[in-house]
Amino acid sequence: MNANPGDALRLLVVDDDEVDRERLRRALRTMVPTPTVIESNGITAAEQELKRTTFDCVILDYFLPEGPSIEFLPRLRERAPSSAFIVLTGQSDQGIAIALMKAGASDYLSKDAFEPRRIHQAIGYAVALRRAEYKMSAAEARRTQLSACLHRFVTRTPEMVTARSFDALAKAGVAILSDVFDAAEACVVLRAGGSNVEVTRGEGTAVSLASWALGAMEQGDGVAHDGQQFAIKLRGRDDSERGLVAVRTAMQGVEPLLRQLAIMVGICSDNLVLFENAARAIRARDDVMAVVSHDLRAPLNNVRLGASLLRGDSTQGNHAVLDRVERNVTHMARLVDDLVDMVRLESGNLLVTVWPESVDDLMQTAASLVADQARDQQIRLILKKCEDDLMVVADRDRVLQVLSNLLSNAIKFTPAGGVVELAAQLENNRVRFGIRDTGCGIASDEGERVFLRFWQSDPARRRGLGLGLFIAKGVVQAHGGDLWFESQAGVGSQFFFTLPTSATANPTALQTARA
Amino acid sequence: MKVLVVDDDVDTLALLSMLLVRHGFEADVASSVSDGKKALSNVTYDVLIADLHLPDGLGTLLLLPMRPKSLRAAILVTGGGDDAERRLSRDLGFDHCMIKPVEFNYLIARIRSAIGEGEEKP
């Protein structure tokens, strides 16, 4: 089936009757353009011819020495899938005609009406039909192949998206190229920092594919095509060059999918750059935090020790100064603690060491921590008695941190003469703590924003970092509890948080939880 | 009552030992794990106050392989405030772990409770 329409046809005549062959020869001689005709006198000889070369049309007598040609039609068609078959019949029997068509003949001709024009026409139609059928089945095969190709492409792309290094991305890219395009050779070159990561796969010559592709990318618009070789330049979101993908494949029409793959590899390599930058920034931040937490505390320690020493032999006037020094040391230490806790929460490294703790004891200790502040601001601190044996499974220091933060906030935002109340009760197998104040309340439009980092009720009057509620919520969540509030402007606020009781906590879980 | 203070910060050593002396303790100082170990093996101390981060290793090494029998209180001071460090210190023979900046009155109270004394002067 190499011929184009209009070219001379190649015909095979299979007939053992020399008279019939002569009649056919004569009829075909007048065909335009003159066809090439090969003759054979039986099925065996015909099969030899079909093995040797391709024919546009095979014309068979119905009766051949080996038997009726209808019996051999399926076998012959298999041998020559692109050829049309016409059978010459001696008698005009409708039944035989139908059987012939079913067996795969394109047409049949009665020897009784051997008219050249009729023969030319039949051959012409049969060949045209066969060609169309053949084209269609080829197209169908290609469609199936491309659809399988697309399926492999879609199912394998996650390997690239999840790659965490340029090397892994290049390897995944090459594996996918080879698989998707059924490629003899494939290569991925990624620009990583100042150098290239190059991964190739193939039958020993993939390196030459890579060097061809690198050369081809030097000029042109980022797409190169040479015989079975394709190469496409990779680009990041900002259009920067990120390397190339190249493939050698016998498959047709691979370019659209290859372009798609190149876009994906480009974006994946872009993401890797972003990921590495982010990881580097996080490492830098953690390094700074290590310095902050260790190295800022040492001089603070000395200031506090020095103040203690001076207090022993100082005058009344100096006591007030030392009080201020102490207060500022405490404040500075709090800021350092909050920064460290914030980083721990964000990196998921806030550890809580849980143990059964008495709720009553936690509440009394927390109240004692803020007693001075309440007295100074003339706030009445009410501690509601809870059930004696109420226990929570909690990190004592961390829960005291949450309680004193919430109490201290409540006192800070309640005018003199107001009330701050601390209570706890068992609710749905959890202990719910509640801190109620008669303060100014929180504007309803603040909502969950109060739990964001660096939130301040009044940014103009900021004193701390605005991390208190963010950390409190994180600490409670690290225990498996929740923290929330209800507030009415001008009436007051109520903060709640829950902790597991020793009954609800997993008995084997008296260990460490991670935020 | 003899106290050994191990810290690599000269200011901390000076201030802490002055405060301890003022509160009736006898204070020696060391500035590394090896100096501290030497002191602990040569002299009988009642109390050890050690920084966690020392130039030649962690302060927790001071009580390895065994805590001296005479030692009635051992307190670790850390700049990190790491929960893991707190736990580790207790496993390694320290009675208490404190985070800088240390409040001296609280430190004294901790020492007294560890050696089983009340608030009265030693």
Side-chain angles (χ1 to χ4, degrees):
Chain A
M1 177 76 44
N2 312 318
N4 294 312
D7 285 358
L9 297 176
R10 290 181 55 78
L11 308 176
L12 176 65
V13 173
V14 189
D15 199 329
D16 58 331
D17 185 339
E18 173 55 33
V19 179
D20 280 353
R21 286 214 300 270
E22 178 53 30
R23 284 174 67 198
L24 205 51
R25 217 176 284 142
R26 257 188 230 160
L28 293 172
R29 207 170 287 152
T30 56
M31 207 172 162
V32 180
T34 316
T36 310
V37 182
I38 307 290
E39 294 175 10
S40 56
N41 55 11
I43 292 295
T44 317
E47 277 183 319
Q48 293 295 329
E49 292 295 341
L50 287 173
K51 202 185 279 180
R52 201 160 44 223
T53 178
T54 314
F55 293 91
D56 295 294
C57 187
V58 181
I59 301 161
L60 293 155
D61 188 15
Y62 186 79
F63 289 108
L64 289 168
E66 291 92 340
S69 58
I70 189 165
E71 284 173 21
F72 304 99
L73 257 177
R75 207 167 84 199
L76 292 174
R77 267 182 61 102
E78 208 170 296
R79 183 165 301 283
S82 63
S83 307
F85 287 85
I86 295 175
V87 181
L88 304 174
T89 55
Q91 61 281 66
S92 39
D93 182 335
Q94 283 292 318
I96 288 177
I98 290 167
L100 279 169
M101 302 303 267
K102 276 188 180 161
S106 303
D107 203 354
Y108 67 95
L109 289 170
S110 171
K111 283 185 188 170
D112 304 338
F114 232 42
E115 196 211 321
R117 252 189 46 215
R118 169 79 183 91
I119 294 173
H120 300 168
Q121 211 173 39
I123 292 172
Y125 285 158
V127 168
L129 184 71
R130 190 70 209 113
R131 279 181 180 168
E133 280 173 357
Y134 192 73
K135 253 189 200 160
M136 207 171 77
S137 69
E140 175 61 21
R142 243 178 60 65
R143 196 193 61 79
T144 309
Q145 186 188 36
L146 280 175
S147 131
C149 183
L150 192 64
H151 181 257
R152 292 197 296 270
F153 177 77
V154 170
T155 51
R156 296 204 55 176
T157 42
E159 292 170 34
M160 296 194 301
V161 177
T162 54
R164 278 282 168 267
S165 69
F166 286 104
D167 197 46
L169 175 59
K171 278 182 183 148
V174 161
I176 292 167
L177 278 171
S178 311
D179 183 29
V180 168
F181 300 111
D182 203 10
E185 292 162 29
C187 127
V188 173
V189 179
L190 296 177
R191 198 146 297 170
S195 59
N196 280 349
V197 171
E198 181 177 319
V199 173
T200 56
R201 179 194 278 192
E203 298 149 351
T205 54
V207 175
S208 70
L209 172 70
S211 53
W212 165 78
L214 283 165
M217 290 298 105
E218 293 290 312
Q219 58 259 343
D221 59 351
V223 183
H225 177 197
D226 179 11
Q228 293 191 344
Q229 298 184 138
F230 296 84
I232 296 188
K233 196 177 271 184
L234 303 176
R235 293 193 183 279
R237 291 177 182 81
D238 59 354
D239 213 35
S240 59
E241 293 189 15
R242 293 237 174 270
L244 63 88
V245 292
V247 72
R248 193 164 74 76
T249 176
M251 260 175 78
Q252 301 288 308
V254 298
E255 201 180 307
L257 210 50
L258 191 63
R259 275 178 190 273
Q260 190 64 32
L261 193 107
I263 290 170
M264 291 206 61
V265 178
I267 288 173
C268 286
S269 102
D270 224 24
N271 287 349
L272 275 181
V273 173
L274 296 175
F275 179 78
E276 288 200 343
N277 287 346
R280 201 176 307 126
I282 288 169
R283 272 199 302 277
R285 185 193 65 183
D286 289 349
D287 290 348
V288 169
M289 288 321 293
V291 169
V292 166
S293 68
H294 276 93
D295 299 0
L296 291 191
R297 283 182 218 256
L300 217 47
N301 193 39
N302 291 343
V303 172
R304 177 170 272 177
L305 291 175
S308 302
L309 198 57
L310 289 177
R311 200 179 280 281
D313 45 25
S314 70
T315 61
Q316 198 60 38
N318 282 347
H319 269 306
V321 176
L322 290 172
D323 283 347
R324 284 182 193 279
V325 171
E326 287 269 0
R327 259 207 310 279
N328 279 280
V329 167
T330 306
H331 184 60
M332 180 74 179
R334 179 85 255 149
L335 295 180
V336 170
D337 287 344
D338 282 358
L339 276 175
V340 172
D341 281 349
M342 178 195 77
V343 172
R344 282 199 188 128
L345 274 174
E346 290 200 324
S347 57
N349 281 325
L350 186 103
L351 298 165
V352 292
T353 309
V354 296
W355 210 254
E357 298 284 350
S358 153
V359 171
D360 197 46
D361 179 53
L362 285 170
M363 283 166 53
Q364 291 203 24
T365 310
S368 72
L369 290 173
V370 295
D372 287 354
Q373 188 196 353
R375 197 191 51 233
D376 291 351
Q377 290 187 232
Q378 295 163 44
I379 303 294
R380 197 150 64 91
L381 189 59
I382 300 173
L383 196 58
K384 283 222 165 169
K385 186 91 187 83
C386 70
E387 293 166 57
D388 283 340
D389 51 355
L390 205 52
M391 301 287 277
V392 284
V393 178
D395 185 314
R396 182 182 171 80
D397 291 345
R398 287 295 184 184
V399 171
L400 287 175
Q401 179 189 3
V402 172
L403 278 169
S404 60
N405 174 272
L406 295 176
L407 285 170
S408 169
N409 275 349
I411 294 165
K412 191 157 62 177
F413 294 107
T414 301
V419 172
V420 169
E421 186 185 277
L422 172 60
Q425 64 187 83
L426 193 64
E427 197 179 270
N428 297 330
N429 289 324
R430 295 183 158 254
V431 174
R432 193 191 74 179
F433 292 83
I435 295 97
R436 188 177 66 82
D437 66 49
T438 57
C440 54
I442 297 166
S444 56
D445 59 344
E446 293 287 7
E448 286 292 302
R449 290 219 327 256
V450 304
F451 296 114
L452 295 178
R453 290 178 313 160
F454 306 120
W455 179 83
Q456 300 269 353
S457 63
D458 181 0
R461 283 175 50 205
R462 62 180 298 159
R463 177 154 161 79
L465 290 168
L467 290 171
L469 287 175
F470 172 78
I471 292 167
K473 187 158 185 154
V475 167
V476 169
Q477 285 173 337
H479 283 84
D482 199 15
L483 192 158
W484 71 99
F485 73 96
E486 289 163 10
S487 186
Q488 212 176 336
V491 177
S493 306
Q494 212 169 350
F495 277 81
F496 300 101
F497 70 91
T498 55
L499 291 176
T501 61
S502 43
T504 51
N506 181 350
T508 61
L510 294 180
Q511 16 71 331
T512 298
R514 203 170 259 264
Chain B
M1 184 93 44
K2 277 183 86 73
V3 183
L4 176 66
V5 183
V6 188
D7 198 310
D8 60 331
D9 186 319
V10 285
D11 288 340
T12 308
L13 286 179
L15 291 164
L16 204 50
S17 51
M18 282 163 83
L19 274 164
L20 287 164
V21 167
R22 181 166 293 178
H23 280 76
F25 294 92
E26 241 183 280
D28 283 354
V29 299
S31 54
S32 66
V33 173
S34 58
D35 286 357
K37 282 197 142 189
K38 223 173 280 168
L40 281 171
S41 63
N42 293 335
V43 183
T44 307
Y45 289 102
D46 302 286
V47 180
L48 169 70
I49 301 171
D51 188 23
L52 178 63
H53 293 279
L54 293 168
D56 55 346
L58 292 180
T60 46
L61 295 172
L62 286 163
L63 296 186
L64 293 177
M66 261 183 77
R67 172 169 161 158
K69 283 219 171 67
S70 66
L71 212 56
R72 295 162 71 190
I75 289 171
L76 190 73
V77 179
T78 162
D82 197 297
D83 304 274
E85 288 175 359
R86 263 195 293 158
R87 243 171 314 154
L88 189 70
S89 67
R90 265 175 237 141
D91 292 343
L92 293 173
F94 283 81
D95 301 304
H96 199 68
C97 178
M98 293 178 78
I99 298 162
K100 292 179 186 176
V102 169
E103 207 181 310
F104 186 71
N105 289 335
Y106 184 59
L107 174 67
I108 292 291
R110 279 291 164 185
I111 293 173
R112 296 227 155 99
S113 84
I115 64 181
E117 280 185 15
E119 289 300 304
E120 73 272 11
K121 291 233 164 194

